[in-house]
Amino acid sequence: LNANLDRALVRASPESACTPLTNSVDEVRDAVVLVTLGGSCDTDTAARHANAKYAAAVLFVGAGPTGISRVMLGWEAKDDTPLDIPRMLVDSAFAAGSLATASRVRLRLEAIPL
């Protein structure tokens, strides 16, 4: 997988995306959806709700200032069903600073052989 995404950044409603998004399809389609972790569901469920509205990717905001930024990619969810949407995790400090007022985001996803 190699992709450069320069897309609108849309905040999920509800923030945790644990239930189907109330954002319109037109708002979410081809956008990167910002989802706050800490709801009552796992990341697969939240990603499925964004994917149902045709999001380009999901950017999860972690619960604390961990200093981490990692990509959660994979084409299957924990239950082995296809989940074809890139997912990335950033910590809350990064989100509060860099993403607080952003309306667009540029992500570069690159597969690096181990």
Side-chain angles (χ1 to χ4, degrees):
L1 168 78
N2 292 304
N4 289 305
L5 299 175
D6 183 351
R7 304 292 165 95
L9 181 65
V10 174
R11 282 139 188 88
S13 180
E15 289 181 344
S16 67
C18 285
T19 57
L21 299 183
T22 59
N23 307 74
S24 71
V25 171
D26 289 338
E27 182 183 12
V28 174
R29 184 187 312 270
D30 293 326
V32 174
V33 177
L34 189 65
V35 173
T36 303
L37 292 177
S40 60
C41 66
D42 60 23
T43 58
D44 291 345
T45 299
R48 285 185 198 291
H49 290 145
N51 199 36
K53 299 273 180 129
Y54 309 105
V58 178
L59 190 56
F60 289 103
V61 177
T66 60
I68 61 171
S69 170
R70 68 181 172 97
V71 176
M72 302 179 293
L73 287 176
W75 308 120
E76 292 182 349
K78 285 184 250 177
D79 62 1
D80 296 327
T81 58
L83 185 53
D84 190 13
I85 186 169
R87 294 159 280 163
M88 183 175 198
L89 172 66
V90 296
D91 70 31
S92 60
F94 177 80
S98 299
L99 299 176
T101 59
S103 61
R104 293 193 71 79
V105 67
R106 184 176 299 142
L107 302 175
R108 179 180 171 147
L109 306 173
E110 185 175 340
I112 301 172
L114 298 175

